[in-house]
Amino acid sequence: MLRLEIKRIAYILKHSITRQMLVVVFSIYLMVTITVTLIHMDFEYELSKHQTIVALRNIENMTKDSLSQAIWEFNNAQLDTILKGLFSNHYIVGVKLEIPQNEAMLEMKDRSMGLVENNVGELIEVNPNTREETPVTNTLIRLIPDEFDLKYKDALGRTILIGKMFLYSSNKVVFQMVRQTYILIILNAIIKTISLWIFILWAGYYFISKPLLQLTDAIKQLSRGDLKSELIYKTRNAEKKTEINTLFDSFNEMARTLQQAQDRLASSRNRLNNIFDTMPSALTSVTNTNIIQGWNKYMTQITGIESKDAMEQNLLAVFPAFSEYEYLVEAALTENKEQEVQHVKIAHVPDSAHRLFHIIVYPVTAVSPPEVVIRIDDVTSQVKQENDLAQIEKLASVGASIAGVAHEINNPLASIMQSSQNIIRRLDPNLEANKEAAAKLQVDLSKQHEYLEQREIIKFLDSIRSAGERASAIVKNMLKFTRRSTADMTKHNIVEIINDALQLSSNDIAIQDHIDFKEIKLQKSLDSSDIEIDCYPLEIQQVLLNLIRNAVQAMDPQQPEKILKISLAKISDQKITITISDNGQGMPKEIMDQIYQPFFTTKPVGQGTGLGLSVCRNIIVQKHHGDMQVESTVGKGTTFVITLPVTQPK
């Protein structure tokens, strides 16, 4: 019976918390004991080392005068006797005497005995009898030196340096002094450690492991899923319950509560799945390790993957096309805020070449570990509508300009260019028809041509033709602006886009608003002339044209100075800013809060659609992944700041 009990105790201790507690407590106690013991031993060593240094200094004080006298009197025999006497002291392992080599000391020589350092700091051992030097290879030996000068005061009261003495002790001497103390310290630590280990072993078994074994049996019943059964605790005295016995009662109550919670959880899960499936967006929830926890029917429509095949699987394994946007999940969990990307394509999705999606990732930090909910919306139709709306607004903004320019310029422009060209031809002295007409009228064509050149009339005619060509280029620029943007972004020089917008604005404003653009003081500050960015150039030009027109319309025709500022700056390798400022009437806060709302306008009926700034913001923020901010002060003016990425995200 005793043997069986011992085996049972050994088994329990081997697989119980007592063993772990013993390991932890014993490890901590052992580290503390070792630390305290080492500190104690170090203290004893330093104390003995200090005693050794004090002893060396006492020996120094006792022998200094004798050594100085023997050297001064050139008494080599007495000097050797003193050195051998010093070497025989149990504190000293080596002595070294250095005597300056000069004419007065020719009879005296340096002397060394035992363990000393040579002139280059190497450890050597000098035989006291033969003076033979042997290098010491034991790297554990550390000398404890005491160095002092040997001086002699002559009859005239002068103090003369006649030598330098080195007394060496070593760590070996110190270790011999503390050896017995070390043994006692180590034995004391071992006895304490073993006693504590036995006590914890006994206490842990009777007060922890044995009661927990009963509790383990009860937990096994609960782990089998027997939630409706009562757990019976085992105790000899039912009136005396320990904390562990009380846990059995708690388990009984917990089993009943757990059964009720399980029923409610099943009902809640069904309700949540129904809500998840009725949402009009494709939704999936994943853990921070990309394990799928939820998958609604719209995700199945987009991916073609059934919910039963997706649940508890890795998102990237089931839906590899999402790997391109995995960074959104990481950013949402790291920054604890939703992340989104708009108007993107998802590879391997049916008809993906013609479909655009809006992806939003919401962090769910209320659970542990945190999860995210991924929402995917098909915005192909919405984007098409926005593009159509932008095109309509663009046509509305330049329609009047194109009609006006075509009417006011195209017809007279052709006549001007043709007439100027004909005048130049008919003044040419080398043309045969001109020569014949001049001969009939007796006109000297060469003199006439010389007169026209001297009076710069030919130059004026060339200027007329050049101005006509410039006007033709303006018309072409307007026609180019009316064309629809291409489907894909390309790199374009943003400075050229700004200059084209200014050229269009100068004509458009003069025609539509009856304001002479020359009255406006244009302050242009472009950081560089070769900044290229990914963009839809005509849409960026549309935004600039709209903002410039709004800035001019915000100016009071009666104000003495009308200033329009346009600046371009590259704030980093990946971002640029375009700033458009005016010194017009400005906007109050209540209007600023509504300027981006579709169909909101402060213009009279028939003069504005209210879509200009709404479309502009959509072009900058949604299509170009940029930012558009506005600042305005009533009576001082308004500033729009557009931020655009140099390279668009893929």
Side-chain angles (χ1 to χ4, degrees), residues 139 334 376 397:
T139 59
T334 302
I376 303 176
S397 63

Side-chain angles (χ1 to χ4, degrees), residues 37-94:
T37 301
L38 291 176
I39 292 173
H40 191 182
M41 293 171 70
D42 181 71
F43 175 79
E44 291 292 337
Y45 176 84
E46 293 296 329
L47 181 61
S48 298
K49 182 179 178 181
H50 178 71
Q51 292 176 354
T52 301
I53 294 173
V54 171
L56 291 178
R57 290 177 180 172
N58 290 335
I59 295 171
E60 170 192 338
N61 294 330
M62 290 188 295
T63 60
K64 185 188 299 185
D65 294 337
S66 300
L67 287 168
S68 299
Q69 187 68 30
I71 294 172
W72 183 256
E73 295 176 356
F74 305 116
N75 192 339
N76 286 320
Q78 182 182 357
L79 188 60
D80 289 337
T81 301
I82 295 173
L83 293 177
K84 288 180 179 180
L86 291 172
F87 182 70
S88 64
N89 191 291
H90 71 277
Y91 282 104
I92 297 177
V93 297

Side-chain angles (χ1 to χ4, degrees), residues 604-622:
V605 176
Q607 295 188 19
T609 63
L611 294 175
L613 290 178
S614 175
V615 172
C616 288
R617 192 174 191 277
N618 179 70
I619 291 172
I620 297 299
V621 177
Q622 306 298 334

